[in-house]
Every structure is written in C-alpha cells, then in structure tokens.
Amino acid sequence: MKDTIPLEIKNIGLPINTVNADFAAYPVNDSTLFFSSLRKSEIVVEKNKNAQDYKVQLLMISSRKDTFNSASIKNIIQDSIDPIANGSYNHNFSKFYFTKCPQGNDCKIWVKETINSKDTIYQLPKPINQEGFTSTQPYVAFEGAKEILYFASNIPKGIGKFDLWKATIEKNEYTELQNLQKPINSIDDELCPFYDTTQKQLYFSSNWHEGLGGFDIFYSKKENNLWQKPTNLGYPINSSANELYFFHYPSKNITYLTSNRIGAITEKSATCCNDIWYYQLPSQEPSKEILRVDSSFTLLKQFTPIPLYFHNDEPNPKSIDTTTSITYEITFQSYKNKFNDYLKINKVHPKEPQENNPIAEFLTNEVESSWKKLEQFTHQIYQQLNKGKRLEVTIKGYASPLANTDYNIKLTKRRIASLDQYFRTYQSGVLIPYLEDTAKNKGYLHLIKIPFGEYKAGNHVIDDINNPDYSIYSLAAAKERKIEIINVELSHEDTLHSRIKFNTEIHDFGAIANNDILSFIFRLSNKGNYPLEILRIDNNNSNVSIEYDPKPVLPNQQIEIKVLLTPELTIGKKIIHFQLYTTAKNSFKELTLTYEKIR
C-alpha cells in the first residue's frame, strides 16, 4: 500500500470561528476574507425587539502577515434583518452575488451591483429564483468565454432534492439555464459549487455519491462537453462528518472548506457546528494521492471514536453474565423507544425545538447519530476485509455507577458483547469468517475489548438507586452508559512505518488499604519494520513517576515502561492517565492505572 502525502487540515480558529456556525470562506484578495457566520446582530434587536438577536451574516475580515484582525470584522450587506450568506463576485467586482433568506420563506439569490460608486441591491429574476423554491450558494466563474453563474436549488425539473444548476450571465440577463444532470446530480443533495478555471474542474458537496459519511467534497471534469463521474477528494480532506464550501485560492496555494468534524470550536456536542478549515498542498500541483478515494486504510481512521449508548443496565438487566445474544442494534432500538420517557422525566415536550433542551439534543445528535455512524463504519470495515485486510478494532467500556464495580465490569463486557453480536449478524453473517479468521482471502477482524467499568465514569454521576430520575434519566448519567470504538488499526501492513503494541493499556491494582508505593510494567513492542522512538510521555500526575530506556526500539523488539504510583490519602476510586507519543504509525497511546483506596 502506498502512503498518501501528509496533509494537515487546520482549523482557522478565532476570531473567524466561534462556538456557533461559521462557514463559506471566500478570499477576495491576499489580505481580505469574506465568510458567513451566525453571530449576535444589533440590527435585529434594533428593528425587531421580539426577534432573536442572532442571525447569519456575511462578514469580511482583514489580515496582516497572515494574522486576522478581529477589529477589522465588518458586515458586507448593511441594515438587513434577514439572514444573509454565501457571497461571490463576478469577474470585474461590479456585482456581488449572495443568498438572502427572509424569515419563514425560501432563500433567494440577490446581487449588489456597483455602478459609479453607487450600490443597488436586488433579487435575481426568474428562472434563477422561483416562487416557493430555494436558490442559494451562488458562484460566478468563466467557462471558456462565457461568464457562468453556478448555484444550488430545488427548483422544478431537477433530479433530486437540491441540484446544481448553471446559467449564462449576459449583462443583466441570465440565460441558458441548465441542470448539470447526472453523473453530478443525484436523487439526494448536491451543494456548494466551485469552478476552478485553472484545472477546469467543478468542485461540489454531495451526500449521495460514495463517500465517508455526511456531505463529502467531490470534483468532476468535462470531456467532450460531458461531465465525468465525480471523484471523492478522500481522507483527510473529507471525514465522517460534513464537508462543504470547497474554495481553492491559488495566489497563496491555500484551500478552504467548511466542516463540523471533531476539533471544531463548540460549546455543545463535538460535531454540532460548522467551522472554517484550510490546508496547503506541498506544491502547486494537486496530488493525485490525495485527490482520490481508494482502498487505503486511512479512510477508516476518520470514523473513530464512535460512542455507543445504552439505557440503564442494558442488555440483560440484573444479569451477572459477561456475554449476550442481543445485538447492539436491538439494544439501540429499545433505547430509542424510551426517548419520550427521558424527555418527560426531564420535563421536555417532545415537540419542543431540539436546540432548547440538552437531553433532546443528546438523544438525537449523539445516541441516534452514533448508531448511524456505526452503520457507515461497519460498511467500510466490510469493504476493507473484502480486500484481505487484517484489522484490529479497540473497544472500551464505561458504565454509570448504579451497581458495584464488579457488576459494572460484567455489564460493560455484555455491552461490548452486544457489539460483537452486531458485527456477527451484519448482513446475515458476512463478517463471521473474518471474526473467526477463516476467510479465504486471509482478511481478519480482531476485536480488542477493554471493559473499564465504573472506573472511567465521571465522578459527577450520582449512584443513588432510589433517585432514578437522576441516576438513570439525567443527561449526566445517560452520557456515561456507553461503550466506545476508540481506534482501528491494521494488524499487518506492508509499510516502513514502525508500529506500537502494548501487552495491555490499562492496569487495575484493585482495592488498596495502605500507602505503599505501587509498581506496574507496561511492555511496548515494535510490530513494524522500522525502529521506533519514544518522543515524550505526558504525565501530569504528581504521585506518578515513569522510567524507561530512551533508546530506539528495533523491529520485533520490546521495552519496559515502569510506572511507580504513590496512592492518594483520600478514600475512593482513582483513575490515572498518561499519554505516550512516538514515531510510530499509530503514534499516540493513552495508558491507564486504576485503584480503589478503601482506608
């Protein structure tokens, strides 16, 4: 397998990104960036005292020496109470196209035209805008000798929900309206057109064409006046979250995109809100290794972690078994049937807007969303196994503390077993030969199971069985009842990278009655074909010391990492983490020690 060229997708950060939605970066020149953002609006408050004081705005910001100045942020379209977004200039900057969405009505494409330093703002006529339908995300580019307006719309005579369209701009007329048809448009949504005049390629986002989950970014070229089959830009440009608003700015060889991937600035769930991201290719020429989807294992990595949630004491309540015949799909559907109970006990009306209540948002955006993510992940796993890949999937267990630690360990084993059963019953058992290592193509799926039990649950969760409204139905308790697919790795990979493997990544000292120093040795093995070096070990625990030989670890060799722990004086369960960084392919590992001080 050939490694892809390293590419770092960076969050553009403050002051452009906020905890709300920020999207659609549009570089006007080397020092000015337009973007759309959900922010507090003094105009809304002033004009409508009963309105929400937040709205989507089209903003500009200036930079100096690649540093953006928050004081330079300005509103591009002044004095509008309506949400405005998605801007694009024409070739001579005399017209600025944007989307305006009047409250409660369909979005339409508008233009601010500048003639003799005087601005006129008006809505585009038919056929671009049509009553009862939305037209949005305008992008203007030259295609040959013609100036073309690309946009997304659900106007009649399309193929799917939102399609990509184009029209020729001639003075103030918009003619030759065309649906881009198949293979670009699909039965679902195609959005965010960007035409690269240098490469003569159309970039866009779709949630239908084969991808990694959500909306992915694709590109297509025209040959013999026909659009070719779209190509997925692949990982790490795309992820299992949504990727939208691709924009390449050749002057600085920088590409912007919008994504709600993990790492976005948020006060809610990890993937709640869009941020603007960017990357730069090593050279001016796009890399074919990056701009394609293939069978590369790296596509799978972006799916993890995947938390999978359970109702209290499920599956098999009040059981001391460590296995189950119930699949995670069944436990999820049972959990979903109880969603209204959670809303009722938390005094939330089922029809209340989701963003107004944390428990409803959690049930939808995390519990249900994680199930959908598991389905996508399993499909990708099957594709890899079909090609003879040997995979290791690491699963950790958690539990909210309504029972003793021993019971919770057994409960988390049952929960992990329910995921095992889900894999075994997937598509009538197609994964069983891979789980049992009997597949003819030598593909193998090895599940590494780490049942943490209560030690990993947060200390803020009450374990009072007489208070079920909190210990079972509260948001805090619901978040703890989970297992998590934390990682996927290749068991055997033809690569020069070093690879690390531990004998264990967690050790439980059990019950501790005295203050004697505790000792444990983690054994690290290099399973790759290249020497491995430990770059650093992050240890923020004052009662823990770590000893190891800093020399490189040769292939098929191992070293010992000795950990000395002085127990705390306070009684209760303790959990200690430290992080190890290496030069290996799977470079980061978190190691864990647990114990319970009983006196």
Side-chain angles (χ1 to χ4, degrees):
M1 181 185 298
K2 199 172 183 180
D3 290 327
T4 55
I5 293 176
L7 185 65
E8 185 178 4
I9 313 295
K10 299 179 181 179
N11 189 301
I12 204 168
L14 297 169
I16 294 175
N17 288 331
T18 66
V19 296
N20 298 308
D22 306 281
F23 56 99
Y26 179 82
V28 180
N29 53 47
D30 287 357
S31 61
T32 305
L33 183 74
F34 287 7
F35 66 102
S36 303
S37 180
L38 175 63
R39 302 196 179 200
K40 194 168 186 177
S41 171
E42 295 179 1
I43 296 173
V44 171
V45 176
E46 180 181 344
K47 292 191 173 184
N48 186 352
K49 301 299 183 183
N50 297 320
Q52 295 289 329
D53 59 350
Y54 279 78
K55 76 172 185 111
V56 175
Q57 307 170 63
L58 237 175
L59 305 174
M60 64 176 291
I61 189 170
S62 299
S63 67
R64 184 176 181 183
K65 296 182 179 180
D66 294 327
T67 299
F68 289 103
N69 178 12
S70 60
S72 70
I73 295 179
K74 296 178 182 178
N75 209 313
I76 299 169
I77 307 297
Q78 302 289 340
D79 300 326
S80 174
I81 194 172
D82 297 317
I84 289 175
N86 315 321
S88 176
Y89 274 113
N90 67 344
H91 71 286
N92 62 4
F93 292 87
S94 63
K95 292 181 180 179
F96 181 70
Y97 296 83
F98 60 92
T99 303
K100 184 176 181 180
C101 302
Q103 299 289 346
N105 295 304
D106 299 300
C107 299
K108 298 291 187 285
I109 296 175
W110 288 60
V111 63
K112 181 172 80 170
E113 185 172 8
T114 303
I115 302 175
N116 298 325
S117 300
K118 184 178 179 180
D119 293 338
T120 303
I121 297 178
Y122 54 90
Q123 180 179 304
L124 293 190
K126 292 182 179 180
I128 306 302
N129 293 315
Q130 299 185 33
E131 188 66 29
F133 299 93
T134 284
S135 293
T136 184
Q137 299 167 348
Y139 183 77
V140 180
F142 269 100
E143 189 177 328
K146 293 183 178 182
E147 191 170 40
I148 302 295
L149 171 66
Y150 289 95
F151 63 101
S153 182
N154 62 349
I155 56 178
K157 299 183 180 179
I159 292 176
K161 298 175 182 177
F162 272 83
D163 281 1
L164 298 185
W165 299 74
K166 73 173 187 175
T168 301
I169 303 173
E170 294 180 315
K171 297 183 179 179
N172 281 333
E173 294 186 358
Y174 301 85
T175 62
E176 300 177 345
L177 178 67
Q178 295 180 32
N179 183 291
L180 298 195
Q181 299 294 328
K182 294 180 179 179
I184 289 179
N185 288 324
S186 71
I187 62 173
D188 221 317
D189 294 317
E190 279 67 47
L191 303 171
C192 307
F194 169 82
Y195 187 78
D196 189 316
T197 54
T198 302
Q199 298 182 36
K200 294 181 172 54
Q201 292 182 162
L202 178 69
Y203 293 80
F204 63 96
S205 294
S206 173
N207 61 356
W208 172 258
H209 298 295
E210 184 176 358
L212 307 183
F215 281 93
D216 276 12
I217 300 170
F218 299 79
Y219 73 92
S220 176
K221 271 201 169 191
K222 235 179 188 181
E223 294 182 8
N224 299 321
N225 208 35
L226 295 174
W227 292 108
Q228 301 304 296
K229 181 180 178 182
T231 300
N232 188 305
L233 292 193
Y235 173 85
I237 296 172
N238 289 318
S239 72
S240 58
N242 293 321
E243 279 70 45
L244 303 154
Y245 296 105
F246 178 96
F247 195 109
H248 180 64
Y249 185 56
S251 175
K252 286 192 170 183
N253 188 31
I254 188 170
T255 300
Y256 297 94
L257 58 96
T258 297
S259 177
N260 64 333
R261 66 181 63 192
I262 290 176
I265 300 172
T266 176
E267 288 180 346
K268 299 180 181 179
S269 62
T271 57
C272 89
C273 306
N274 281 321
D275 269 3
I276 294 170
W277 303 72
Y278 71 97
Y279 65 88
Q280 290 178 293
L281 292 174
S283 65
Q284 293 288 344
E285 292 298 320
S287 165
K288 292 181 180 179
E289 281 299 316
I290 293 173
L291 302 182
R292 67 182 178 92
V293 169
D294 56 18
S295 60
S296 169
F297 162 76
T298 54
L299 298 179
L300 263 180
K301 299 284 289 180
Q302 189 66 20
F303 280 91
T304 58
I306 307 175
L308 302 170
Y309 296 92
F310 296 77
H311 179 59
N312 184 61
D313 204 19
E314 294 288 349
N316 306 108
K318 300 180 181 179
S319 171
I320 59 172
D321 289 339
T322 58
T323 61
T324 182
S325 60
I326 299 174
T327 70
Y328 178 72
E329 181 175 8
I330 292 173
T331 62
F332 163 73
Q333 295 298 339
S334 175
Y335 192 1
K336 187 175 180 180
N337 292 337
K338 296 180 176 69
F339 279 7
N340 282 342
D341 294 339
Y342 280 79
L343 298 178
K344 182 179 178 181
I345 290 171
N346 284 276
K347 295 181 174 57
V348 173
H349 193 281
K351 294 184 179 180
E352 184 178 340
Q354 179 180 299
E355 60 270 17
N356 294 340
N357 53 83
I359 189 69
E361 183 177 312
F362 166 74
L363 294 173
T364 301
N365 291 351
E366 298 196 40
V367 178
E368 193 164 10
S369 177
S370 292
W371 159 248
K372 294 176 181 177
K373 193 174 179 182
L374 173 64
E375 291 183 301
Q376 296 169 348
F377 176 78
T378 308
H379 174 70
Q380 294 291 334
I381 283 278
Y382 181 43
Q383 287 187 331
Q384 294 288 317
L385 294 171
N386 245 343
K387 297 171 183 177
K389 301 301 179 187
R390 300 179 65 85
L391 306 177
E392 293 179 350
V393 173
T394 302
I395 310 161
K396 285 185 179 180
Y398 306 71
S400 61
L402 263 187
N404 60 46
T405 299
D406 179 65
Y407 183 86
N408 269 337
I409 293 289
K410 292 175 180 177
L411 174 59
T412 55
K413 286 183 177 179
R414 290 202 302 278
R415 288 174 173 168
I416 292 173
S418 75
L419 179 59
D420 189 323
Q421 288 296 321
Y422 166 74
F423 286 137
R424 289 179 179 275
T425 57
Y426 177 75
Q427 291 189 10
S428 302
V430 295
L431 297 182
I432 290 176
Y434 301 109
L435 287 162
E436 297 180 352
D437 202 9
T438 58
K440 293 180 180 179
N441 67 354
K442 303 300 180 182
Y444 178 45
L445 178 57
H446 178 207
L447 304 182
I448 301 174
K449 305 170 183 179
I450 306 174
F452 269 156
E454 186 181 347
Y455 284 120
K456 280 292 279 186
N459 294 328
H460 56 280
V461 181
I462 295 176
D463 58 356
D464 182 3
I465 197 169
N466 296 315
N467 185 10
D469 285 5
Y470 192 89
S471 58
I472 295 178
Y473 291 96
S474 71
L475 177 61
K479 283 185 173 182
E480 300 291 356
R481 294 192 301 264
K482 64 182 179 181
I483 60 175
E484 191 168 40
I485 299 174
I486 62 168
N487 197 23
V488 57
E489 293 288 351
L490 289 170
S491 296
H492 302 286
E493 183 178 24
D494 295 328
T495 177
L496 291 178
H497 284 288
S498 51
R499 296 180 56 80
I500 56 177
K501 186 176 180 65
F502 279 94
N503 58 328
T504 181
E505 295 176 32
I506 176 174
H507 176 70
D508 180 19
F509 287 108
I512 303 299
N514 54 43
N515 294 323
D516 292 343
I517 294 177
L518 306 175
S519 174
F520 183 75
I521 294 176
F522 291 97
R523 290 180 171 83
L524 178 155
S525 300
N526 180 2
K527 294 298 184 180
N529 301 315
Y530 198 77
L532 177 151
E533 294 182 42
I534 296 178
L535 300 176
R536 72 177 193 274
I537 298 179
D538 287 352
N539 171 31
N540 297 318
N541 307 284
S542 58
N543 60 331
V544 173
S545 62
I546 300 173
E547 302 173 357
Y548 66 94
D549 187 342
K551 294 179 181 178
V553 185
L554 299 178
N556 298 315
Q557 299 293 314
Q558 72 174 20
I559 64 166
E560 296 182 347
I561 299 175
K562 185 176 183 180
V563 183
L564 301 174
L565 166 65
T566 302
E568 296 181 20
L569 298 177
T570 55
I571 293 174
K573 304 179 187 74
K574 313 294 178 184
I575 180 165
I576 295 148
H577 301 293
F578 51 93
Q579 296 77 34
L580 179 140
Y581 296 85
T582 73
T583 57
K585 177 80 171 177
N586 48 338
S587 60
F588 168 84
K589 288 288 184 181
E590 182 175 79
L591 304 178
T592 303
L593 297 172
T594 63
Y595 67 96
E596 185 171 7
K597 189 70 183 299
I598 58 175
R599 64 172 183 268

